[in-house]
Amino acid sequence: MKTLSNGKLTIQVSEHGAELSSLKANDKEYLWQADPAFWKRHSPVLFPIVGGVWENVYRVDGKEYPLGQHGFARDMDFTLVAESDDKVLYELNYTEETLAKYPYKFKLCIGYALEGDKVRVIWKVVNMDEKEICFQIGAHPAFYFPNYEEKTSGRGYFGFDNPHLSYIRLKEKGCADPEVAYHVPVNEEGLLPLDTHTFDIDTFIIEDDQVKEVTLYDLQKKPVLALQFTAPVVGLWSPPKKNAPFVCIEPWYGRCDRVNYTGDYSKKDWVQHLPVGEVFEASYTIQIF
């Protein structure tokens, strides 16, 4: 576990999954501490898929590969390759094990940098193959509700840089129905009230670059934290019907399959294409107020 601090924020990062495992400001923990009674993770990086593939099987050039939800990177040990007072960078390279379930040669780099009251999460995917590679990558950070009391229903609010949003839902076997869109039910102030029933639907999947900033507010409508990102898709989630103490804000370059999808992986929704010799780079920030 590596620890970085800049006087405003202190973070800890595990080599397992290169996962952000703690985010503190003024000695207060903001990142969910992985109680398995609700959810055993903190902030996994999702690669090479986001969400699930139909029937846990996908196809590349006519060959089938089994792959569980969110891929394998979150469950592998990364190597620390760079470290300074305010930044760490980890690396994962393809292996025979990964090639058996993901037939592409890649290098995945995950970094964390402290920038004042923000943490920048850095992703880089390098094509190490002799052909184009396809992938998805996404974030899954979980944050404590600022007003969690088990016996009350109110949890806070989400605010968006665009209050006129639509979303799609999961329909069957962890896969989505993108043909049916719903309006995000914001109030007259443009805020989405969060309570014990908000996530009975499971996940709000907001596609098509509709939003680039999501802010978590407390019950007094005071901002607690915000995520800023360039990803085209974002998921909002808390475990359905569990009265969990946390909520996730998840920028994604990808999402789960649509229901009944059995086409080639290269043609799935929101897959990223990376030509030979090219590098994909992206980042998002977590800001603490």
Side-chain angles (χ1 to χ4, degrees), residues 5 21 47 50 72 110 142 161-163 220 269 286:
S5 185
S21 300
F47 179 91
V50 173
F72 51 76
I110 299 174
D161 57 334
N162 170 19
Q220 289 71 47
D269 297 337
I286 306 168

Side-chain angles (χ1 to χ4, degrees), residues 154-172:
R155 295 289 176 262
Y157 300 86
F158 273 148
F160 309 96
D161 57 334
N162 170 19
H164 307 292
L165 300 172
S166 63
Y167 71 98
I168 64 173
R169 297 180 182 178
L170 300 178
K171 182 179 181 180
E172 185 180 349

Side-chain angles (χ1 to χ4, degrees), residues 137-148:
I137 191 167
H140 203 321
F143 305 100
Y144 282 104
F145 278 121
N147 299 105
Y148 180 79

Side-chain angles (χ1 to χ4, degrees), residues 146-147 155-159 187-194 215-225 289:
N147 299 105
R155 295 289 176 262
Y157 300 86
F158 273 148
N187 62 19
E188 65 280 357
E189 299 171 276
L191 300 176
L192 172 63
L194 305 175
T215 302
L216 177 63
Y217 294 84
D218 65 17
L219 285 173
Q220 289 71 47
K221 300 175 183 175
K222 178 182 176 181
V224 174
L225 59 88
F289 295 105

Side-chain angles (χ1 to χ4, degrees), residues 49-207:
I49 59 170
V50 173
V53 290
W54 183 248
E55 302 281 13
N56 294 319
V57 174
Y58 72 106
R59 296 150 192 86
V60 177
D61 297 331
K63 184 176 179 179
E64 292 190 342
Y65 297 87
L67 193 59
Q69 185 183 44
H70 296 322
F72 51 76
R74 62 180 184 169
D75 295 316
M76 298 188 72
D77 289 336
F78 283 61
T79 301
L80 180 67
V81 293
E83 179 180 8
S84 65
D85 290 343
D86 57 4
K87 184 177 180 180
V88 288
L89 183 66
Y90 292 83
E91 182 178 289
L92 177 70
N93 285 280
Y94 74 92
T95 64
E96 291 303 315
E97 177 189 358
T98 66
L99 287 170
K101 50 193 171 185
Y102 176 66
Y104 299 106
K105 297 177 181 179
F106 70 91
K107 179 190 296 181
L108 172 61
C109 301
I110 299 174
Y112 301 90
L114 297 181
E115 301 175 352
D117 61 358
K118 295 182 178 181
V119 180
R120 181 170 298 278
V121 184
I122 301 157
W123 298 329
K124 183 166 71 171
V125 181
V126 183
N127 184 345
M128 307 291 288
D129 217 316
E130 297 176 353
K131 60 181 182 293
E132 176 184 86
I133 71 172
C134 298
F135 69 93
Q136 296 179 329
I137 191 167
H140 203 321
F143 305 100
Y144 282 104
F145 278 121
N147 299 105
Y148 180 79
E149 293 184 15
E150 184 179 2
K151 295 183 180 180
T152 63
S153 62
R155 295 289 176 262
Y157 300 86
F158 273 148
F160 309 96
D161 57 334
N162 170 19
H164 307 292
L165 300 172
S166 63
Y167 71 98
I168 64 173
R169 297 180 182 178
L170 300 178
K171 182 179 181 180
E172 185 180 349
K173 299 180 180 179
C175 292
D177 180 5
E179 305 305 320
V180 181
Y182 306 83
H183 292 292
V184 175
V186 298
N187 62 19
E188 65 280 357
E189 299 171 276
L191 300 176
L192 172 63
L194 305 175
D195 60 33
T196 53
H197 294 291
T198 302
F199 296 96
D200 286 354
I201 64 160
D202 201 302
T203 309
F204 291 78
I205 303 172
I206 302 172
E207 301 188 300

